[in-house]
Amino acid sequence: MILWREAVVADVPAVVALLRDDVLGQGRELADAARYEAAFRAMEAEGANHLVVGESAGQVVACYQITFITGLSLSASRRAQIESLRVSSELRGQGIGAVMIADAEARARAAGCSLMQFTSNQSRSAAHRFYERLGFTPSHIGYKKTL
């Protein structure tokens, strides 16, 4: 059984470990704990930006970030942007990802969102199949520019 809850600063090291527990994250996540704690505090201060963790037996085993965005397009729709979805490598393939997405969707609906969106690295073909099984469509092309 997974308990989904808002993260607290004490969860940050476990979340960073989940971000590193990934073929792409291994090379891009840093060891500077203070940097991640400062980012977490900034997220808390923003109010519409939340880090959610999945806890099992007192351990953080999954996480995602959800940000609520109010805009004018799509008839002034509010949308939820989800990022950094991770499940511990030891627990993948057990349906936790689907439960995590359902939790994110429930939070998005409760926040008045009519759309949930995210980007996914092009190399994650298995993840793309997973998202499509859950009803997401690859409707847009995403662009990023490192600053």
Side-chain angles (χ1 to χ4, degrees):
M1 166 98 175
I2 305 268
L3 167 69
W4 299 97
R5 61 173 176 79
E6 293 260 349
V8 295
V9 72
D11 296 320
V12 171
V15 170
V16 174
L18 285 169
L19 295 174
R20 283 192 191 124
D21 182 25
D22 174 271
V23 68
L24 296 176
Q26 290 170 1
R28 65 182 176 202
E29 299 307 331
L30 307 171
D32 182 4
R35 178 185 196 127
Y36 290 97
E37 288 181 14
F40 177 78
R41 299 269 188 222
M43 289 168 60
E44 282 184 314
E46 290 171 2
N49 193 349
H50 306 273
L51 181 62
V52 178
V53 295
E55 185 180 290
S56 177
Q59 300 291 324
V60 172
V61 298
C63 65
Y64 69 91
Q65 179 179 346
I66 187 166
T67 306
F68 303 116
I69 305 165
T70 303
L72 297 180
S73 66
L74 296 172
S75 299
S77 291
R78 193 163 202 222
R79 63 190 70 214
Q81 174 79 24
I82 53 177
E83 310 230 9
S84 303
L85 297 100
R86 297 290 190 281
V87 174
S88 172
S89 58
E90 296 92 37
L91 299 175
R92 291 180 192 145
Q94 298 182 25
I96 295 169
V99 175
M100 179 169 50
I101 294 291
D103 183 79
E105 185 173 334
R107 290 172 192 267
R109 288 180 187 278
C113 296
S114 60
L115 178 72
M116 201 159 74
Q117 64 188 24
F118 58 91
T119 60
S120 180
N121 190 286
Q122 289 181 348
S123 68
R124 297 185 188 276
S125 56
H128 301 162
R129 289 189 299 275
F130 166 74
Y131 297 133
E132 288 178 27
R133 281 195 309 272
L134 294 178
F136 290 90
T137 57
S139 62
H140 290 68
I141 296 173
Y143 293 90
K144 294 187 179 191
K145 182 178 182 179
T146 302
L147 303 177

PDB file of all heavy atoms in Angstrom, residues 12-39:
ATOM      1  N   VAL A  12      13.518  15.338   0.766  1.00  0.00           N
ATOM      2  CA  VAL A  12      14.302  15.759  -0.394  1.00  0.00           C
ATOM      3  C   VAL A  12      15.432  14.784  -0.737  1.00  0.00           C
ATOM      4  O   VAL A  12      15.590  14.413  -1.903  1.00  0.00           O
ATOM      5  CB  VAL A  12      14.803  17.213  -0.233  1.00  0.00           C
ATOM      6  CG1 VAL A  12      15.803  17.590  -1.312  1.00  0.00           C
ATOM      7  CG2 VAL A  12      13.612  18.174  -0.248  1.00  0.00           C
ATOM      8  N   PRO A  13      16.232  14.288   0.216  1.00  0.00           N
ATOM      9  CA  PRO A  13      17.291  13.335  -0.159  1.00  0.00           C
ATOM     10  C   PRO A  13      16.746  12.066  -0.819  1.00  0.00           C
ATOM     11  O   PRO A  13      17.337  11.562  -1.783  1.00  0.00           O
ATOM     12  CB  PRO A  13      17.982  13.017   1.171  1.00  0.00           C
ATOM     13  CG  PRO A  13      17.721  14.216   2.023  1.00  0.00           C
ATOM     14  CD  PRO A  13      16.334  14.672   1.636  1.00  0.00           C
ATOM     15  N   ALA A  14      15.619  11.566  -0.338  1.00  0.00           N
ATOM     16  CA  ALA A  14      15.026  10.366  -0.939  1.00  0.00           C
ATOM     17  C   ALA A  14      14.527  10.648  -2.353  1.00  0.00           C
ATOM     18  O   ALA A  14      14.663   9.809  -3.253  1.00  0.00           O
ATOM     19  CB  ALA A  14      13.892   9.841  -0.061  1.00  0.00           C
ATOM     20  N   VAL A  15      13.970  11.832  -2.567  1.00  0.00           N
ATOM     21  CA  VAL A  15      13.498  12.201  -3.901  1.00  0.00           C
ATOM     22  C   VAL A  15      14.682  12.333  -4.853  1.00  0.00           C
ATOM     23  O   VAL A  15      14.638  11.835  -5.989  1.00  0.00           O
ATOM     24  CB  VAL A  15      12.661  13.496  -3.852  1.00  0.00           C
ATOM     25  CG1 VAL A  15      12.386  14.018  -5.258  1.00  0.00           C
ATOM     26  CG2 VAL A  15      11.362  13.254  -3.095  1.00  0.00           C
ATOM     27  N   VAL A  16      15.748  12.957  -4.411  1.00  0.00           N
ATOM     28  CA  VAL A  16      16.939  13.090  -5.261  1.00  0.00           C
ATOM     29  C   VAL A  16      17.489  11.700  -5.595  1.00  0.00           C
ATOM     30  O   VAL A  16      17.908  11.444  -6.730  1.00  0.00           O
ATOM     31  CB  VAL A  16      18.000  13.995  -4.600  1.00  0.00           C
ATOM     32  CG1 VAL A  16      19.292  14.004  -5.403  1.00  0.00           C
ATOM     33  CG2 VAL A  16      17.466  15.413  -4.461  1.00  0.00           C
ATOM     34  N   ALA A  17      17.458  10.789  -4.645  1.00  0.00           N
ATOM     35  CA  ALA A  17      17.907   9.417  -4.914  1.00  0.00           C
ATOM     36  C   ALA A  17      17.036   8.771  -5.991  1.00  0.00           C
ATOM     37  O   ALA A  17      17.548   8.061  -6.871  1.00  0.00           O
ATOM     38  CB  ALA A  17      17.881   8.591  -3.634  1.00  0.00           C
ATOM     39  N   LEU A  18      15.731   9.021  -5.961  1.00  0.00           N
ATOM     40  CA  LEU A  18      14.852   8.493  -7.013  1.00  0.00           C
ATOM     41  C   LEU A  18      15.181   9.118  -8.364  1.00  0.00           C
ATOM     42  O   LEU A  18      15.154   8.437  -9.393  1.00  0.00           O
ATOM     43  CB  LEU A  18      13.384   8.748  -6.666  1.00  0.00           C
ATOM     44  CG  LEU A  18      12.782   7.864  -5.588  1.00  0.00           C
ATOM     45  CD1 LEU A  18      11.413   8.396  -5.166  1.00  0.00           C
ATOM     46  CD2 LEU A  18      12.686   6.423  -6.054  1.00  0.00           C
ATOM     47  N   LEU A  19      15.475  10.418  -8.365  1.00  0.00           N
ATOM     48  CA  LEU A  19      15.831  11.080  -9.619  1.00  0.00           C
ATOM     49  C   LEU A  19      17.131  10.508 -10.189  1.00  0.00           C
ATOM     50  O   LEU A  19      17.296  10.408 -11.410  1.00  0.00           O
ATOM     51  CB  LEU A  19      15.965  12.593  -9.410  1.00  0.00           C
ATOM     52  CG  LEU A  19      14.686  13.327  -9.018  1.00  0.00           C
ATOM     53  CD1 LEU A  19      14.987  14.781  -8.699  1.00  0.00           C
ATOM     54  CD2 LEU A  19      13.628  13.215 -10.102  1.00  0.00           C
ATOM     55  N   ARG A  20      18.046  10.128  -9.317  1.00  0.00           N
ATOM     56  CA  ARG A  20      19.314   9.530  -9.760  1.00  0.00           C
ATOM     57  C   ARG A  20      19.147   8.074 -10.177  1.00  0.00           C
ATOM     58  O   ARG A  20      19.967   7.544 -10.918  1.00  0.00           O
ATOM     59  CB  ARG A  20      20.342   9.590  -8.634  1.00  0.00           C
ATOM     60  CG  ARG A  20      20.959  10.922  -8.445  1.00  0.00           C
ATOM     61  CD  ARG A  20      22.168  10.797  -7.510  1.00  0.00           C
ATOM     62  NE  ARG A  20      22.608  12.115  -7.126  1.00  0.00           N
ATOM     63  CZ  ARG A  20      22.719  12.526  -5.876  1.00  0.00           C
ATOM     64  NH1 ARG A  20      22.479  11.724  -4.874  1.00  0.00           N
ATOM     65  NH2 ARG A  20      23.113  13.752  -5.619  1.00  0.00           N
ATOM     66  N   ASP A  21      18.107   7.406  -9.683  1.00  0.00           N
ATOM     67  CA  ASP A  21      17.854   5.991  -9.946  1.00  0.00           C
ATOM     68  C   ASP A  21      17.204   5.827 -11.318  1.00  0.00           C
ATOM     69  O   ASP A  21      16.130   5.256 -11.467  1.00  0.00           O
ATOM     70  CB  ASP A  21      16.950   5.431  -8.840  1.00  0.00           C
ATOM     71  CG  ASP A  21      16.671   3.941  -8.982  1.00  0.00           C
ATOM     72  OD1 ASP A  21      17.482   3.238  -9.593  1.00  0.00           O
ATOM     73  OD2 ASP A  21      15.619   3.493  -8.469  1.00  0.00           O
ATOM     74  N   ASP A  22      17.863   6.366 -12.313  1.00  0.00           N
ATOM     75  CA  ASP A  22      17.299   6.443 -13.648  1.00  0.00           C
ATOM     76  C   ASP A  22      18.446   6.647 -14.629  1.00  0.00           C
ATOM     77  O   ASP A  22      19.409   7.351 -14.315  1.00  0.00           O
ATOM     78  CB  ASP A  22      16.337   7.646 -13.656  1.00  0.00           C
ATOM     79  CG  ASP A  22      15.770   7.959 -15.009  1.00  0.00           C
ATOM     80  OD1 ASP A  22      16.403   8.748 -15.734  1.00  0.00           O
ATOM     81  OD2 ASP A  22      14.719   7.425 -15.326  1.00  0.00           O
ATOM     82  N   VAL A  23      18.349   6.060 -15.785  1.00  0.00           N
ATOM     83  CA  VAL A  23      19.444   6.136 -16.752  1.00  0.00           C
ATOM     84  C   VAL A  23      19.770   7.583 -17.139  1.00  0.00           C
ATOM     85  O   VAL A  23      20.932   7.928 -17.312  1.00  0.00           O
ATOM     86  CB  VAL A  23      19.153   5.264 -17.996  1.00  0.00           C
ATOM     87  CG1 VAL A  23      18.011   5.818 -18.828  1.00  0.00           C
ATOM     88  CG2 VAL A  23      20.394   5.073 -18.824  1.00  0.00           C
ATOM     89  N   LEU A  24      18.765   8.439 -17.245  1.00  0.00           N
ATOM     90  CA  LEU A  24      19.018   9.837 -17.589  1.00  0.00           C
ATOM     91  C   LEU A  24      19.441  10.641 -16.364  1.00  0.00           C
ATOM     92  O   LEU A  24      20.282  11.529 -16.457  1.00  0.00           O
ATOM     93  CB  LEU A  24      17.786  10.466 -18.227  1.00  0.00           C
ATOM     94  CG  LEU A  24      17.340   9.866 -19.565  1.00  0.00           C
ATOM     95  CD1 LEU A  24      16.048  10.509 -20.038  1.00  0.00           C
ATOM     96  CD2 LEU A  24      18.430  10.011 -20.607  1.00  0.00           C
ATOM     97  N   GLY A  25      18.869  10.354 -15.212  1.00  0.00           N
ATOM     98  CA  GLY A  25      19.158  11.101 -14.004  1.00  0.00           C
ATOM     99  C   GLY A  25      20.545  10.867 -13.438  1.00  0.00           C
ATOM    100  O   GLY A  25      21.092  11.720 -12.731  1.00  0.00           O
ATOM    101  N   GLN A  26      21.130   9.715 -13.740  1.00  0.00           N
ATOM    102  CA  GLN A  26      22.463   9.397 -13.208  1.00  0.00           C
ATOM    103  C   GLN A  26      23.486  10.462 -13.562  1.00  0.00           C
ATOM    104  O   GLN A  26      24.348  10.781 -12.751  1.00  0.00           O
ATOM    105  CB  GLN A  26      22.945   8.053 -13.758  1.00  0.00           C
ATOM    106  CG  GLN A  26      22.192   6.876 -13.225  1.00  0.00           C
ATOM    107  CD  GLN A  26      22.546   5.594 -13.974  1.00  0.00           C
ATOM    108  OE1 GLN A  26      23.371   5.585 -14.886  1.00  0.00           O
ATOM    109  NE2 GLN A  26      21.910   4.503 -13.589  1.00  0.00           N
ATOM    110  N   GLY A  27      23.386  11.005 -14.750  1.00  0.00           N
ATOM    111  CA  GLY A  27      24.382  11.962 -15.200  1.00  0.00           C
ATOM    112  C   GLY A  27      24.029  13.413 -14.986  1.00  0.00           C
ATOM    113  O   GLY A  27      24.873  14.283 -15.170  1.00  0.00           O
ATOM    114  N   ARG A  28      22.793  13.688 -14.578  1.00  0.00           N
ATOM    115  CA  ARG A  28      22.428  15.100 -14.490  1.00  0.00           C
ATOM    116  C   ARG A  28      22.087  15.584 -13.088  1.00  0.00           C
ATOM    117  O   ARG A  28      21.977  16.787 -12.876  1.00  0.00           O
ATOM    118  CB  ARG A  28      21.286  15.412 -15.451  1.00  0.00           C
ATOM    119  CG  ARG A  28      19.987  14.728 -15.155  1.00  0.00           C
ATOM    120  CD  ARG A  28      18.945  15.078 -16.200  1.00  0.00           C
ATOM    121  NE  ARG A  28      17.726  14.333 -15.944  1.00  0.00           N
ATOM    122  CZ  ARG A  28      16.815  14.092 -16.838  1.00  0.00           C
ATOM    123  NH1 ARG A  28      16.961  14.543 -18.065  1.00  0.00           N
ATOM    124  NH2 ARG A  28      15.747  13.405 -16.527  1.00  0.00           N
ATOM    125  N   GLU A  29      21.905  14.677 -12.134  1.00  0.00           N
ATOM    126  CA  GLU A  29      21.603  15.103 -10.770  1.00  0.00           C
ATOM    127  C   GLU A  29      22.894  15.252  -9.978  1.00  0.00           C
ATOM    128  O   GLU A  29      23.807  14.433 -10.105  1.00  0.00           O
ATOM    129  CB  GLU A  29      20.650  14.117 -10.089  1.00  0.00           C
ATOM    130  CG  GLU A  29      19.310  13.984 -10.784  1.00  0.00           C
ATOM    131  CD  GLU A  29      18.578  15.295 -11.043  1.00  0.00           C
ATOM    132  OE1 GLU A  29      18.755  16.269 -10.280  1.00  0.00           O
ATOM    133  OE2 GLU A  29      17.817  15.356 -12.027  1.00  0.00           O
ATOM    134  N   LEU A  30      22.966  16.290  -9.177  1.00  0.00           N
ATOM    135  CA  LEU A  30      24.179  16.658  -8.453  1.00  0.00           C
ATOM    136  C   LEU A  30      24.158  16.121  -7.022  1.00  0.00           C
ATOM    137  O   LEU A  30      23.129  15.684  -6.524  1.00  0.00           O
ATOM    138  CB  LEU A  30      24.307  18.176  -8.421  1.00  0.00           C
ATOM    139  CG  LEU A  30      24.236  18.874  -9.783  1.00  0.00           C
ATOM    140  CD1 LEU A  30      24.156  20.371  -9.599  1.00  0.00           C
ATOM    141  CD2 LEU A  30      25.422  18.481 -10.633  1.00  0.00           C
ATOM    142  N   ALA A  31      25.280  16.213  -6.356  1.00  0.00           N
ATOM    143  CA  ALA A  31      25.386  15.758  -4.967  1.00  0.00           C
ATOM    144  C   ALA A  31      25.163  16.884  -3.967  1.00  0.00           C
ATOM    145  O   ALA A  31      25.221  16.649  -2.772  1.00  0.00           O
ATOM    146  CB  ALA A  31      26.756  15.120  -4.744  1.00  0.00           C
ATOM    147  N   ASP A  32      24.887  18.082  -4.424  1.00  0.00           N
ATOM    148  CA  ASP A  32      24.758  19.259  -3.571  1.00  0.00           C
ATOM    149  C   ASP A  32      23.372  19.299  -2.913  1.00  0.00           C
ATOM    150  O   ASP A  32      22.414  19.843  -3.460  1.00  0.00           O
ATOM    151  CB  ASP A  32      24.986  20.513  -4.403  1.00  0.00           C
ATOM    152  CG  ASP A  32      24.928  21.790  -3.587  1.00  0.00           C
ATOM    153  OD1 ASP A  32      24.781  21.721  -2.356  1.00  0.00           O
ATOM    154  OD2 ASP A  32      25.039  22.862  -4.206  1.00  0.00           O
ATOM    155  N   ALA A  33      23.265  18.735  -1.698  1.00  0.00           N
ATOM    156  CA  ALA A  33      21.984  18.657  -0.993  1.00  0.00           C
ATOM    157  C   ALA A  33      21.391  20.040  -0.738  1.00  0.00           C
ATOM    158  O   ALA A  33      20.169  20.223  -0.819  1.00  0.00           O
ATOM    159  CB  ALA A  33      22.156  17.898   0.314  1.00  0.00           C
ATOM    160  N   ALA A  34      22.213  21.019  -0.430  1.00  0.00           N
ATOM    161  CA  ALA A  34      21.718  22.365  -0.130  1.00  0.00           C
ATOM    162  C   ALA A  34      20.979  22.956  -1.334  1.00  0.00           C
ATOM    163  O   ALA A  34      19.969  23.651  -1.168  1.00  0.00           O
ATOM    164  CB  ALA A  34      22.870  23.269   0.284  1.00  0.00           C
ATOM    165  N   ARG A  35      21.461  22.675  -2.518  1.00  0.00           N
ATOM    166  CA  ARG A  35      20.824  23.189  -3.736  1.00  0.00           C
ATOM    167  C   ARG A  35      19.398  22.644  -3.874  1.00  0.00           C
ATOM    168  O   ARG A  35      18.467  23.371  -4.194  1.00  0.00           O
ATOM    169  CB  ARG A  35      21.676  22.786  -4.936  1.00  0.00           C
ATOM    170  CG  ARG A  35      21.134  23.206  -6.250  1.00  0.00           C
ATOM    171  CD  ARG A  35      22.007  22.653  -7.380  1.00  0.00           C
ATOM    172  NE  ARG A  35      21.715  23.349  -8.588  1.00  0.00           N
ATOM    173  CZ  ARG A  35      22.615  23.937  -9.362  1.00  0.00           C
ATOM    174  NH1 ARG A  35      23.887  23.902  -9.046  1.00  0.00           N
ATOM    175  NH2 ARG A  35      22.261  24.554 -10.448  1.00  0.00           N
ATOM    176  N   TYR A  36      19.230  21.354  -3.608  1.00  0.00           N
ATOM    177  CA  TYR A  36      17.917  20.723  -3.728  1.00  0.00           C
ATOM    178  C   TYR A  36      16.972  21.198  -2.620  1.00  0.00           C
ATOM    179  O   TYR A  36      15.785  21.414  -2.866  1.00  0.00           O
ATOM    180  CB  TYR A  36      18.046  19.200  -3.702  1.00  0.00           C
ATOM    181  CG  TYR A  36      18.686  18.661  -4.962  1.00  0.00           C
ATOM    182  CD1 TYR A  36      20.038  18.371  -4.999  1.00  0.00           C
ATOM    183  CD2 TYR A  36      17.936  18.456  -6.105  1.00  0.00           C
ATOM    184  CE1 TYR A  36      20.634  17.876  -6.152  1.00  0.00           C
ATOM    185  CE2 TYR A  36      18.518  17.961  -7.271  1.00  0.00           C
ATOM    186  CZ  TYR A  36      19.867  17.678  -7.284  1.00  0.00           C
ATOM    187  OH  TYR A  36      20.437  17.199  -8.435  1.00  0.00           O
ATOM    188  N   GLU A  37      17.497  21.373  -1.426  1.00  0.00           N
ATOM    189  CA  GLU A  37      16.658  21.870  -0.328  1.00  0.00           C
ATOM    190  C   GLU A  37      16.204  23.300  -0.599  1.00  0.00           C
ATOM    191  O   GLU A  37      15.045  23.645  -0.335  1.00  0.00           O
ATOM    192  CB  GLU A  37      17.396  21.765   0.996  1.00  0.00           C
ATOM    193  CG  GLU A  37      17.508  20.330   1.468  1.00  0.00           C
ATOM    194  CD  GLU A  37      18.207  20.179   2.804  1.00  0.00           C
ATOM    195  OE1 GLU A  37      18.376  21.201   3.521  1.00  0.00           O
ATOM    196  OE2 GLU A  37      18.579  19.052   3.131  1.00  0.00           O
ATOM    197  N   ALA A  38      17.072  24.114  -1.158  1.00  0.00           N
ATOM    198  CA  ALA A  38      16.697  25.490  -1.508  1.00  0.00           C
ATOM    199  C   ALA A  38      15.615  25.492  -2.587  1.00  0.00           C
ATOM    200  O   ALA A  38      14.659  26.277  -2.528  1.00  0.00           O
ATOM    201  CB  ALA A  38      17.924  26.280  -1.965  1.00  0.00           C
ATOM    202  N   ALA A  39      15.744  24.611  -3.559  1.00  0.00           N
ATOM    203  CA  ALA A  39      14.731  24.512  -4.618  1.00  0.00           C
ATOM    204  C   ALA A  39      13.396  24.057  -4.037  1.00  0.00           C
ATOM    205  O   ALA A  39      12.332  24.573  -4.414  1.00  0.00           O
ATOM    206  CB  ALA A  39      15.201  23.548  -5.700  1.00  0.00           C
TER     207      ALA A  39
END
